[in-house]
Amino acid sequence: FFFDVGVPFCAMLASQNYDQYLFACKVYNSRILSKVLAAIQLGKRETNCQVIVTESYMKFIVDLEDKSFQATATLKPDIFQDYHFPAKPIRFAVNLSNLLDCLGMYG
């Protein structure tokens, strides 16, 4: 399973060759990940979020359009069976609804 949002960022692959990806992780059960991310979706179907990936965490940040509320989920590398991080922190946006749909297919 590979999820692509314009630039490769997250891969759940059997092979250990992660050189071609900016960031790669492997998780065997996506239910926990799905539940955490669903909690910050703020009840909206079309929710975009910022993702920050570093050596010590992966952070998902959702803001309401009027900037009146922010929800954050910080995931430690321990929840992943494999976690390959970039040399420098990376930041990108992803549609949280689409990501949850993809995780739901493999959960």
Side-chain angles (χ1 to χ4, degrees):
F1 169 69
F2 177 73
F3 188 76
D4 185 328
V5 289
V7 290
F9 80 96
C10 184
M12 296 175 196
L13 302 171
S15 75
Q16 298 295 319
N17 185 6
Y18 296 116
D19 296 339
Q20 63 186 1
Y21 304 111
L22 294 176
F23 166 70
C25 65
K26 189 186 299 184
V27 64
Y28 293 119
N29 186 345
S30 65
R31 286 187 198 136
I32 295 170
L33 184 59
S34 294
K35 288 181 187 246
V36 169
L37 295 178
I40 66 168
Q41 194 175 17
L42 304 176
K44 295 179 65 180
R45 178 66 189 137
E46 289 301 316
T47 303
N48 291 313
C49 72
Q50 295 293 316
V51 182
I52 302 169
V53 180
T54 70
E55 175 181 355
S56 55
Y57 64 83
M58 183 185 337
K59 184 180 285 190
F60 292 82
I61 305 166
V62 175
D63 290 310
L64 285 180
E65 290 175 11
D66 64 358
K67 307 281 186 209
S68 63
F69 190 79
Q70 183 181 74
T72 303
T74 304
L75 307 173
K76 300 289 183 183
D78 307 11
I79 72 163
F80 300 98
Q81 282 68 42
D82 217 348
Y83 186 85
H84 296 271
F85 53 88
K88 295 183 209 172
I90 59 171
R91 182 182 200 118
F92 57 91
V94 66
N95 184 299
L96 188 56
S97 305
N98 291 342
L99 179 58
L100 284 167
D101 288 345
C102 290
L103 289 172
M105 285 189 265
Y106 296 97

XYZ file of all heavy atoms in Angstrom:
858
model
N 0.833 -1.175 0.000
C 0.000 0.000 0.000
C 0.872 1.230 0.000
O 1.800 1.344 0.783
C -0.906 0.000 1.238
C -1.622 1.290 1.472
C -2.608 1.717 0.637
C -1.288 2.078 2.557
C -3.269 2.891 0.847
C -1.944 3.270 2.785
C -2.939 3.666 1.932
N 0.594 2.142 -0.916
C 1.336 3.396 -1.005
C 0.341 4.514 -1.175
O -0.552 4.443 -1.997
C 2.301 3.358 -2.193
C 3.036 4.637 -2.372
C 4.037 4.997 -1.500
C 2.702 5.496 -3.392
C 4.705 6.184 -1.648
C 3.368 6.685 -3.551
C 4.373 7.024 -2.680
N 0.483 5.556 -0.386
C -0.423 6.697 -0.458
C 0.354 7.882 -0.963
O 1.368 8.240 -0.404
C -0.996 6.979 0.930
C -2.080 8.003 0.934
C -3.352 7.684 0.493
C -1.831 9.284 1.363
C -4.346 8.619 0.491
C -2.817 10.227 1.366
C -4.082 9.906 0.937
N -0.091 8.485 -2.040
C 0.644 9.564 -2.691
C -0.217 10.820 -2.728
O -1.351 10.783 -3.165
C 1.000 9.127 -4.105
C 1.860 10.135 -4.830
O 1.718 11.345 -4.572
O 2.663 9.710 -5.653
N 0.339 11.937 -2.259
C -0.371 13.214 -2.316
C 0.455 14.236 -3.091
O 0.577 15.376 -2.711
C -0.677 13.768 -0.901
C -1.735 12.959 -0.224
C 0.573 13.862 -0.065
N 1.007 13.832 -4.175
C 1.827 14.740 -4.966
C 3.306 14.459 -4.752
O 4.059 14.359 -5.686
N 3.720 14.326 -3.515
C 5.081 13.887 -3.202
C 4.959 12.685 -2.295
O 4.110 12.659 -1.421
C 5.903 14.995 -2.489
C 6.224 16.122 -3.421
C 5.223 15.505 -1.251
N 5.757 11.651 -2.518
C 5.663 10.467 -1.660
C 5.956 10.838 -0.213
O 6.949 11.470 0.070
C 6.736 9.545 -2.217
C 7.022 10.045 -3.579
C 6.745 11.509 -3.557
N 5.079 10.492 0.706
C 5.325 10.842 2.105
C 5.122 9.696 3.053
O 5.707 9.652 4.111
C 4.459 12.028 2.541
C 3.051 11.663 2.876
C 2.688 11.437 4.177
C 2.115 11.532 1.891
C 1.392 11.101 4.503
C 0.829 11.190 2.197
C 0.460 10.976 3.503
N 4.298 8.760 2.711
C 4.021 7.695 3.671
C 3.878 6.391 2.907
O 3.144 6.330 1.942
C 2.739 8.009 4.439
S 2.369 6.820 5.716
N 4.585 5.392 3.345
C 4.500 4.114 2.657
C 4.373 2.994 3.673
O 5.000 3.024 4.710
C 5.746 3.894 1.807
N 3.526 2.066 3.357
C 3.429 0.848 4.153
C 3.853 -0.268 3.213
O 3.041 -0.795 2.475
C 2.006 0.664 4.654
C 1.572 1.750 5.584
S -0.145 1.545 6.004
C -0.484 3.148 6.673
N 5.129 -0.550 3.203
C 5.698 -1.440 2.208
C 6.364 -2.641 2.866
O 6.849 -2.552 3.989
C 6.745 -0.687 1.379
C 6.247 0.560 0.653
C 7.433 1.303 0.061
C 5.268 0.186 -0.428
N 6.432 -3.717 2.142
C 7.108 -4.908 2.659
C 8.622 -4.762 2.549
O 9.356 -5.270 3.372
C 6.637 -6.132 1.887
N 9.094 -4.060 1.543
C 10.543 -3.925 1.367
C 11.105 -2.855 2.292
O 10.397 -2.023 2.815
C 10.857 -3.570 -0.085
O 10.539 -2.224 -0.331
N 12.399 -2.892 2.491
C 13.071 -1.943 3.363
C 13.747 -0.825 2.565
O 14.534 -0.082 3.119
C 14.111 -2.670 4.225
C 13.500 -3.700 5.136
C 12.589 -3.079 6.173
O 12.891 -2.051 6.734
N 11.445 -3.694 6.411
N 13.497 -0.686 1.280
C 14.128 0.324 0.457
C 13.296 1.606 0.476
O 12.364 1.763 -0.286
C 14.292 -0.189 -0.979
C 15.047 0.797 -1.837
O 15.550 1.813 -1.347
N 15.119 0.519 -3.117
N 13.648 2.541 1.366
C 12.887 3.775 1.529
C 13.598 4.976 0.930
O 13.188 6.097 1.160
C 12.632 4.036 3.012
C 11.782 2.983 3.674
C 12.292 2.189 4.678
C 10.457 2.795 3.289
C 11.513 1.228 5.290
C 9.678 1.836 3.895
C 10.210 1.060 4.896
O 9.436 0.116 5.495
N 14.672 4.764 0.185
C 15.476 5.866 -0.324
C 14.697 6.820 -1.226
O 14.996 8.003 -1.280
C 16.689 5.338 -1.087
C 17.626 4.570 -0.188
O 17.576 4.775 1.038
O 18.396 3.745 -0.716
N 13.707 6.335 -1.935
C 12.985 7.174 -2.884
C 11.875 8.004 -2.241
O 11.256 8.816 -2.903
C 12.403 6.314 -3.995
C 11.373 5.318 -3.504
C 10.923 4.382 -4.599
O 11.383 4.456 -5.722
N 10.001 3.498 -4.283
N 11.640 7.841 -0.941
C 10.553 8.536 -0.273
C 11.069 9.629 0.657
O 12.123 9.491 1.266
C 9.702 7.552 0.548
C 9.174 6.418 -0.280
C 9.640 5.129 -0.090
C 8.224 6.645 -1.269
C 9.167 4.087 -0.869
C 7.758 5.608 -2.047
C 8.234 4.336 -1.842
O 7.776 3.319 -2.607
N 10.312 10.693 0.779
C 10.651 11.746 1.736
C 10.448 11.270 3.161
O 11.171 11.643 4.068
C 9.784 12.987 1.504
C 10.003 13.726 0.197
C 9.016 14.867 0.066
C 11.425 14.242 0.124
N 9.432 10.437 3.341
C 9.110 9.892 4.651
C 8.404 8.566 4.451
O 7.587 8.426 3.552
C 8.204 10.858 5.420
C 7.570 10.238 6.620
C 8.335 9.921 7.725
C 6.230 9.934 6.640
C 7.757 9.306 8.827
C 5.648 9.338 7.734
C 6.425 9.029 8.834
N 8.700 7.612 5.293
C 8.054 6.301 5.177
C 7.778 5.745 6.566
O 8.557 5.949 7.490
C 8.941 5.338 4.397
N 6.637 5.073 6.681
C 6.306 4.412 7.935
C 5.540 3.136 7.626
O 4.955 2.999 6.570
C 5.485 5.321 8.850
S 3.861 5.737 8.210
N 5.561 2.230 8.582
C 4.841 0.972 8.423
C 4.032 0.737 9.681
O 4.535 0.856 10.796
C 5.822 -0.180 8.223
C 5.173 -1.485 7.837
C 6.157 -2.621 7.780
C 7.234 -2.384 6.774
N 8.168 -3.523 6.634
N 2.758 0.423 9.489
C 1.878 0.111 10.607
C 1.046 -1.108 10.208
O 0.557 -1.192 9.093
C 0.998 1.328 10.995
C 0.057 1.722 9.880
C 0.249 1.097 12.272
N 0.946 -2.082 11.122
C 0.217 -3.306 10.808
C -1.273 -3.202 11.082
O -2.057 -3.872 10.451
C 0.807 -4.489 11.576
C 2.197 -4.827 11.124
C 3.256 -4.770 12.005
C 2.462 -5.171 9.804
C 4.544 -5.069 11.592
C 3.740 -5.459 9.378
C 4.771 -5.409 10.280
O 6.044 -5.685 9.860
N -1.657 -2.364 12.020
C -3.069 -2.182 12.338
C -3.356 -0.685 12.331
O -2.913 0.040 13.207
C -3.385 -2.787 13.705
C -4.854 -2.760 14.018
O -5.628 -2.062 13.373
N -5.256 -3.508 15.024
N -4.121 -0.245 11.359
C -4.367 1.191 11.212
C -5.540 1.695 12.060
O -5.854 2.878 12.024
C -4.614 1.525 9.742
O -5.799 0.906 9.299
N -6.185 0.830 12.826
C -7.356 1.252 13.602
C -7.028 2.349 14.612
O -7.764 3.319 14.744
C -7.989 0.069 14.314
C -8.743 -0.822 13.376
C -9.499 -1.902 14.117
N -9.822 -2.945 13.171
C -9.705 -4.221 13.397
N -9.271 -4.642 14.570
N -10.010 -5.091 12.485
N -5.935 2.189 15.345
C -5.563 3.198 16.334
C -5.268 4.519 15.649
O -5.744 5.574 16.060
C -4.353 2.727 17.169
C -4.736 1.507 17.997
C -3.829 3.850 18.051
C -3.565 0.833 18.663
N -4.500 4.456 14.583
C -4.176 5.656 13.814
C -5.441 6.312 13.283
O -5.608 7.533 13.381
C -3.233 5.282 12.676
C -2.690 6.391 11.798
C -1.914 7.405 12.610
C -1.805 5.796 10.712
N -6.358 5.528 12.762
C -7.620 6.059 12.239
C -8.446 6.739 13.325
O -9.013 7.810 13.111
C -8.456 4.941 11.613
O -7.826 4.428 10.487
N -8.513 6.132 14.494
C -9.311 6.714 15.592
C -8.728 8.032 16.073
O -9.460 8.974 16.351
C -9.432 5.717 16.738
C -10.350 4.565 16.397
C -10.482 3.612 17.553
C -11.265 2.405 17.106
N -12.527 2.263 17.734
N -7.419 8.100 16.172
C -6.777 9.342 16.604
C -7.027 10.453 15.583
O -7.390 11.577 15.944
C -5.261 9.123 16.820
C -4.534 10.449 16.997
C -5.018 8.221 18.015
N -6.857 10.142 14.310
C -7.055 11.158 13.280
C -8.526 11.549 13.131
O -8.839 12.707 12.869
C -6.481 10.683 11.944
C -4.962 10.497 11.931
C -4.503 9.978 10.577
C -4.245 11.778 12.288
N -9.431 10.599 13.312
C -10.859 10.922 13.248
C -11.256 11.881 14.362
O -12.148 12.719 14.194
C -11.694 9.646 13.324
N -10.586 11.789 15.502
C -10.903 12.671 16.633
C -10.584 14.132 16.341
O -11.220 15.026 16.903
C -10.140 12.214 17.872
N -9.619 14.382 15.468
C -9.291 15.782 15.160
C -9.943 16.279 13.877
O -9.706 17.387 13.444
C -7.758 16.010 15.094
C -7.135 15.269 13.918
C -7.108 15.656 16.405
C -5.716 15.686 13.630
N -10.789 15.451 13.288
C -11.460 15.840 12.041
C -12.499 16.936 12.280
O -12.923 17.601 11.343
C -12.100 14.624 11.376
C -12.508 14.877 9.956
C -13.026 13.630 9.273
O -13.370 12.639 9.921
N -13.071 13.660 7.965
N -12.902 17.147 13.498
C -13.823 18.218 13.896
C -15.186 18.112 13.225
O -15.856 19.115 12.982
C -13.204 19.594 13.621
C -11.840 19.849 14.267
C -11.294 21.193 13.848
C -11.923 19.741 15.777
N -15.594 16.891 12.917
C -16.934 16.665 12.398
C -17.177 17.108 10.972
O -18.272 16.973 10.461
N -16.174 17.627 10.308
C -16.339 18.086 8.929
C -15.874 17.012 7.964
O -14.848 16.381 8.181
C -15.540 19.369 8.700
C -16.042 20.546 9.526
C -15.198 21.765 9.285
C -15.376 22.181 7.850
N -14.615 23.358 7.484
N -16.609 16.811 6.903
C -16.248 15.792 5.915
C -14.979 16.190 5.158
O -14.076 15.403 4.989
C -17.416 15.574 4.949
C -17.132 14.582 3.868
C -16.942 13.170 4.408
N -16.473 12.325 3.334
C -15.528 11.434 3.451
N -14.948 11.233 4.590
N -15.148 10.711 2.436
N -14.912 17.400 4.685
C -13.739 17.858 3.941
C -12.822 18.631 4.868
O -12.994 19.821 5.079
C -14.157 18.721 2.741
C -14.813 17.935 1.631
C -13.920 16.832 1.080
O -12.719 17.067 0.850
O -14.432 15.724 0.893
N -11.881 17.952 5.454
C -10.963 18.566 6.403
C -9.541 18.436 5.896
O -9.064 17.331 5.652
C -11.063 17.864 7.780
O -12.410 17.925 8.232
C -10.164 18.534 8.793
N -8.898 19.561 5.719
C -7.485 19.561 5.358
C -6.670 19.769 6.619
O -7.110 20.443 7.544
C -7.177 20.658 4.349
C -7.808 20.369 3.002
O -7.709 19.265 2.496
N -8.470 21.352 2.438
N -5.492 19.182 6.646
C -4.644 19.371 7.822
C -3.190 19.524 7.397
O -2.789 19.076 6.326
C -4.827 18.239 8.819
S -4.125 16.675 8.339
N -2.445 20.157 8.259
C -1.005 20.287 8.086
C -0.348 19.096 8.785
O -0.789 18.687 9.860
C -0.497 21.581 8.723
C -1.030 22.831 8.056
C -0.504 22.974 6.642
O 0.675 22.771 6.380
N -1.399 23.287 5.730
N 0.686 18.558 8.180
C 1.420 17.446 8.771
C 2.879 17.869 8.894
O 3.455 18.389 7.949
C 1.318 16.167 7.911
C 2.046 15.003 8.565
C -0.132 15.815 7.636
N 3.435 17.648 10.070
C 4.844 17.924 10.316
C 5.498 16.611 10.718
O 5.023 15.930 11.626
C 5.030 18.964 11.433
C 4.309 20.256 11.080
C 6.515 19.218 11.687
C 4.207 21.238 12.226
N 6.571 16.244 10.021
C 7.266 14.990 10.302
C 8.695 15.312 10.730
O 9.410 16.030 10.026
C 7.293 14.071 9.067
C 8.023 12.779 9.366
C 5.884 13.789 8.580
N 9.080 14.797 11.887
C 10.445 14.954 12.389
C 10.939 13.591 12.865
O 10.212 12.604 12.810
C 10.523 15.952 13.566
O 9.908 15.369 14.713
C 9.859 17.269 13.234
N 12.136 13.579 13.375
C 12.715 12.348 13.919
C 11.916 11.829 15.106
O 11.760 10.632 15.294
C 14.154 12.632 14.347
C 14.840 11.493 15.023
C 16.252 11.853 15.448
O 16.730 12.954 15.144
O 16.870 11.009 16.111
N 11.349 12.735 15.906
C 10.715 12.316 17.160
C 9.193 12.312 17.151
O 8.590 11.862 18.126
C 11.216 13.194 18.305
O 11.003 14.553 17.999
N 8.554 12.801 16.106
C 7.091 12.770 16.056
C 6.563 13.057 14.656
O 7.264 13.569 13.797
C 6.478 13.767 17.038
C 6.790 15.222 16.735
C 6.052 15.945 15.796
C 7.820 15.877 17.396
C 6.338 17.268 15.521
C 8.112 17.197 17.130
C 7.363 17.891 16.186
O 7.657 19.203 15.911
N 5.282 12.713 14.479
C 4.501 13.104 13.315
C 3.292 13.840 13.881
O 2.552 13.284 14.685
C 4.052 11.877 12.508
C 3.313 12.244 11.258
S 2.618 10.851 10.297
C 3.561 9.448 10.755
N 3.118 15.084 13.490
C 2.050 15.905 14.056
C 1.048 16.290 12.965
O 1.425 16.733 11.891
C 2.627 17.171 14.676
C 1.588 18.035 15.380
C 2.208 19.280 15.976
C 2.966 18.902 17.213
N 3.405 20.084 17.979
N -0.241 16.092 13.282
C -1.346 16.484 12.405
C -2.052 17.670 13.061
O -2.437 17.588 14.226
C -2.336 15.328 12.237
C -1.774 14.171 11.469
C -0.980 13.220 12.098
C -2.034 14.029 10.122
C -0.454 12.151 11.407
C -1.520 12.955 9.413
C -0.725 12.014 10.054
N -2.237 18.771 12.309
C -2.847 19.981 12.847
C -4.032 20.371 11.962
O -3.881 20.539 10.757
C -1.843 21.145 12.885
C -0.593 20.743 13.669
C -2.483 22.398 13.461
C 0.575 21.683 13.466
N -5.206 20.508 12.597
C -6.422 20.913 11.887
C -6.904 22.225 12.479
O -7.041 22.355 13.696
C -7.528 19.836 12.027
C -8.819 20.305 11.389
C -7.075 18.524 11.425
N -7.159 23.207 11.621
C -7.719 24.494 12.025
C -9.100 24.641 11.418
O -9.307 24.276 10.259
C -6.864 25.658 11.511
C -5.528 25.757 12.197
O -5.508 25.731 13.431
O -4.508 25.865 11.485
N -10.034 25.181 12.191
C -11.310 25.557 11.597
C -11.077 26.732 10.657
O -10.128 27.496 10.833
C -12.318 25.944 12.672
C -12.921 24.796 13.475
C -13.910 25.335 14.503
C -13.616 23.795 12.577
N -11.943 26.870 9.665
C -11.752 27.926 8.666
C -11.684 29.314 9.282
O -10.944 30.166 8.819
C -12.863 27.864 7.618
C -12.751 26.642 6.734
C -13.911 26.507 5.781
O -14.710 27.452 5.654
O -14.020 25.442 5.162
N -12.453 29.559 10.325
C -12.445 30.885 10.942
C -11.348 31.029 11.997
O -11.277 32.043 12.692
C -13.808 31.215 11.542
C -14.189 30.277 12.681
O -13.417 29.346 12.977
O -15.261 30.484 13.268
N -10.480 30.024 12.108
C -9.335 30.038 13.034
C -9.740 30.131 14.501
O -8.971 30.541 15.349
C -8.369 31.183 12.703
C -7.901 31.230 11.287
C -6.812 30.224 11.048
C -6.275 30.420 9.644
N -5.763 29.278 9.054
N -10.978 29.731 14.825
C -11.443 29.820 16.203
C -11.084 28.588 17.028
O -11.183 28.600 18.244
C -12.959 30.014 16.243
O -13.607 28.892 15.675
N -10.641 27.516 16.367
C -10.352 26.275 17.069
C -9.267 25.518 16.317
O -9.242 25.515 15.087
C -11.619 25.420 17.164
C -11.490 24.233 18.060
C -11.579 24.355 19.436
C -11.268 22.977 17.524
C -11.451 23.253 20.264
C -11.140 21.869 18.345
C -11.235 22.007 19.726
N -8.386 24.876 17.066
C -7.330 24.059 16.473
C -7.254 22.725 17.200
O -7.321 22.687 18.425
C -5.980 24.773 16.573
C -4.847 24.014 15.918
C -3.520 24.723 16.062
O -2.940 24.721 17.146
N -3.069 25.336 14.983
N -7.135 21.657 16.444
C -6.970 20.319 17.018
C -5.636 19.760 16.533
O -5.270 19.936 15.375
C -8.108 19.410 16.593
N -4.929 19.099 17.433
C -3.607 18.560 17.116
C -3.505 17.120 17.602
O -3.947 16.802 18.699
C -2.508 19.396 17.805
O -2.641 20.750 17.398
C -1.133 18.903 17.446
N -2.918 16.275 16.789
C -2.596 14.902 17.186
C -1.109 14.696 16.932
O -0.632 14.900 15.821
C -3.413 13.901 16.389
N -0.396 14.332 17.970
C 1.035 14.073 17.852
C 1.278 12.587 18.039
O 0.905 12.012 19.063
C 1.826 14.878 18.904
O 1.518 16.263 18.753
C 3.312 14.675 18.739
N 1.881 11.971 17.051
C 2.141 10.536 17.071
C 3.629 10.293 17.234
O 4.438 10.828 16.481
C 1.654 9.895 15.772
C 0.204 10.179 15.388
C -0.089 9.623 14.007
C -0.739 9.608 16.415
N 3.980 9.494 18.210
C 5.377 9.131 18.439
C 5.746 7.969 17.521
O 4.884 7.150 17.155
C 5.591 8.723 19.898
C 5.266 9.816 20.885
C 6.290 10.906 20.811
C 5.991 11.957 21.861
N 6.901 13.065 21.790
N 6.997 7.840 17.163
C 7.419 6.744 16.276
C 7.139 5.353 16.843
O 7.063 4.396 16.092
C 8.927 6.963 16.133
C 9.137 8.399 16.418
C 8.087 8.773 17.424
N 6.930 5.254 18.162
C 6.691 3.951 18.800
C 5.449 3.236 18.271
O 5.382 2.005 18.348
C 6.512 4.112 20.309
C 7.638 4.871 20.973
O 8.458 5.461 20.267
O 7.676 4.877 22.198
N 4.455 3.974 17.774
C 3.237 3.305 17.317
C 3.407 2.653 15.952
O 2.546 1.902 15.517
C 2.010 4.242 17.307
C 2.084 5.268 16.192
C 1.808 4.908 18.641
C 0.756 5.916 15.894
N 4.509 2.957 15.287
C 4.782 2.387 13.971
C 5.765 1.229 14.111
O 6.653 1.257 14.951
C 5.368 3.446 13.033
C 4.459 4.621 12.816
C 4.635 5.791 13.533
C 3.416 4.547 11.911
C 3.803 6.873 13.345
C 2.567 5.618 11.717
C 2.758 6.783 12.437
N 5.619 0.230 13.265
C 6.565 -0.875 13.260
C 7.859 -0.447 12.565
O 8.920 -0.990 12.837
C 5.968 -2.094 12.547
C 4.986 -2.868 13.395
C 3.700 -2.101 13.666
O 3.165 -1.460 12.778
N 3.230 -2.152 14.892
N 7.755 0.514 11.674
C 8.906 1.039 10.951
C 8.674 2.529 10.750
O 7.555 2.937 10.414
C 9.015 0.336 9.598
C 10.436 0.082 9.183
O 11.350 0.634 9.821
O 10.634 -0.669 8.216
N 9.689 3.335 10.963
C 9.535 4.795 10.877
C 10.831 5.370 10.318
O 11.867 5.320 10.975
C 9.249 5.353 12.268
C 8.934 6.832 12.336
C 7.641 7.288 12.130
C 9.918 7.767 12.637
C 7.333 8.638 12.220
C 9.615 9.122 12.715
C 8.325 9.546 12.510
O 8.020 10.891 12.594
N 10.778 5.850 9.104
C 11.937 6.451 8.451
C 11.652 7.930 8.248
O 10.750 8.298 7.503
C 12.226 5.760 7.123
C 12.595 4.333 7.308
N 13.890 3.938 7.497
C 11.835 3.221 7.390
C 13.916 2.626 7.659
N 12.677 2.165 7.605
N 12.417 8.745 8.917
C 12.160 10.171 8.954
C 13.147 10.920 8.058
O 14.224 10.405 7.743
C 12.268 10.679 10.386
C 13.560 10.296 11.044
C 14.680 11.087 10.926
C 13.650 9.117 11.755
C 15.875 10.721 11.499
C 14.841 8.736 12.339
C 15.957 9.549 12.214
N 12.802 12.143 7.683
C 13.705 12.948 6.860
C 14.841 13.520 7.706
O 14.741 13.608 8.926
C 12.796 14.060 6.341
C 11.736 14.182 7.381
C 11.526 12.804 7.931
N 15.906 13.912 7.030
C 17.026 14.536 7.732
C 16.598 15.851 8.366
O 16.995 16.173 9.473
C 18.181 14.768 6.766
N 15.767 16.582 7.644
C 15.205 17.830 8.173
C 13.702 17.643 8.311
O 13.096 16.882 7.557
C 15.453 18.981 7.203
C 16.890 19.340 6.998
C 16.964 20.547 6.082
C 18.244 20.557 5.294
N 18.256 21.586 4.284
N 13.085 18.347 9.247
C 11.618 18.261 9.354
C 10.950 18.670 8.043
O 11.429 19.572 7.348
C 11.278 19.254 10.464
C 12.531 19.388 11.258
C 13.652 19.217 10.276
N 9.870 17.976 7.707
C 9.103 18.357 6.522
C 7.697 18.732 6.951
O 7.195 18.267 7.972
C 9.065 17.243 5.450
C 8.455 15.963 6.001
C 10.426 16.993 4.871
C 8.203 14.912 4.960
N 7.081 19.585 6.162
C 5.719 20.046 6.437
C 4.950 20.014 5.122
O 5.445 20.468 4.098
C 5.762 21.462 7.004
C 4.422 22.002 7.360
C 4.554 23.451 7.871
N 3.380 23.758 8.617
C 3.348 24.065 9.893
N 4.459 24.153 10.585
N 2.218 24.315 10.496
N 3.734 19.470 5.170
C 2.888 19.406 3.984
C 1.439 19.357 4.418
O 1.141 19.167 5.600
C 3.249 18.191 3.118
C 3.174 16.874 3.834
C 2.004 16.140 3.831
C 4.274 16.372 4.506
C 1.928 14.929 4.501
C 4.217 15.160 5.169
C 3.038 14.435 5.165
N 0.553 19.516 3.466
C -0.890 19.451 3.735
C -1.452 18.175 3.118
O -0.954 17.690 2.105
C -1.598 20.664 3.153
N -2.477 17.653 3.756
C -3.152 16.458 3.253
C -4.639 16.591 3.585
O -5.010 17.213 4.581
C -2.543 15.169 3.863
C -2.787 15.093 5.346
C -3.062 13.932 3.173
N -5.477 16.027 2.720
C -6.905 15.994 2.995
C -7.141 14.863 3.992
O -6.969 13.684 3.666
C -7.695 15.775 1.713
C -9.177 15.826 1.947
O -9.724 15.036 2.702
N -9.833 16.769 1.300
N -7.495 15.215 5.206
C -7.659 14.238 6.277
C -8.779 13.249 5.972
O -8.680 12.064 6.292
C -7.903 14.957 7.600
C -7.906 14.108 8.857
C -6.607 13.317 9.000
C -8.126 14.973 10.076
N -9.827 13.709 5.343
C -10.942 12.827 4.994
C -10.487 11.711 4.056
O -10.834 10.541 4.247
C -12.067 13.631 4.340
O -12.464 14.681 5.176
N -9.708 12.066 3.045
C -9.210 11.070 2.100
C -8.238 10.103 2.769
O -8.260 8.897 2.503
C -8.530 11.742 0.906
C -9.511 12.480 0.030
O -10.712 12.260 0.088
N -8.999 13.382 -0.782
N -7.385 10.621 3.639
C -6.451 9.763 4.356
C -7.196 8.766 5.237
O -6.876 7.578 5.270
C -5.485 10.608 5.189
C -4.448 9.851 6.015
C -3.585 8.959 5.143
C -3.588 10.828 6.804
N -8.228 9.229 5.942
C -9.020 8.335 6.783
C -9.735 7.269 5.945
O -9.851 6.122 6.363
C -10.020 9.130 7.615
C -9.411 9.863 8.794
C -10.409 10.872 9.384
C -8.946 8.884 9.855
N -10.228 7.655 4.772
C -10.869 6.696 3.874
C -9.882 5.600 3.472
O -10.202 4.412 3.468
C -11.433 7.377 2.629
C -12.669 8.195 2.919
O -13.274 8.045 3.996
O -13.038 9.028 2.048
N -8.662 5.999 3.134
C -7.631 5.029 2.747
C -7.256 4.121 3.908
O -7.142 2.904 3.741
C -6.389 5.748 2.229
S -6.631 6.539 0.641
N -7.079 4.691 5.086
C -6.760 3.877 6.250
C -7.888 2.912 6.576
O -7.659 1.789 7.006
C -6.456 4.769 7.459
C -5.157 5.550 7.418
C -5.088 6.540 8.572
C -3.972 4.613 7.436
N -9.129 3.347 6.368
C -10.285 2.498 6.628
C -10.331 1.268 5.736
O -10.820 0.214 6.134
N -9.818 1.398 4.523
C -9.795 0.253 3.609
C -8.836 -0.831 4.078
O -9.019 -2.003 3.768
C -9.380 0.709 2.213
C -10.462 1.445 1.482
S -9.996 1.704 -0.227
C -9.317 3.351 -0.113
N -7.800 -0.447 4.812
C -6.772 -1.399 5.217
C -6.802 -1.691 6.702
O -5.945 -2.382 7.205
C -5.389 -0.866 4.805
C -5.271 -0.777 3.323
C -5.505 0.425 2.656
C -4.957 -1.891 2.566
C -5.424 0.506 1.285
C -4.875 -1.834 1.205
C -5.104 -0.622 0.555
O -5.023 -0.554 -0.798
N -7.755 -1.131 7.434
C -7.819 -1.283 8.872
C -8.336 -2.603 9.291
O -8.215 -3.143 10.308
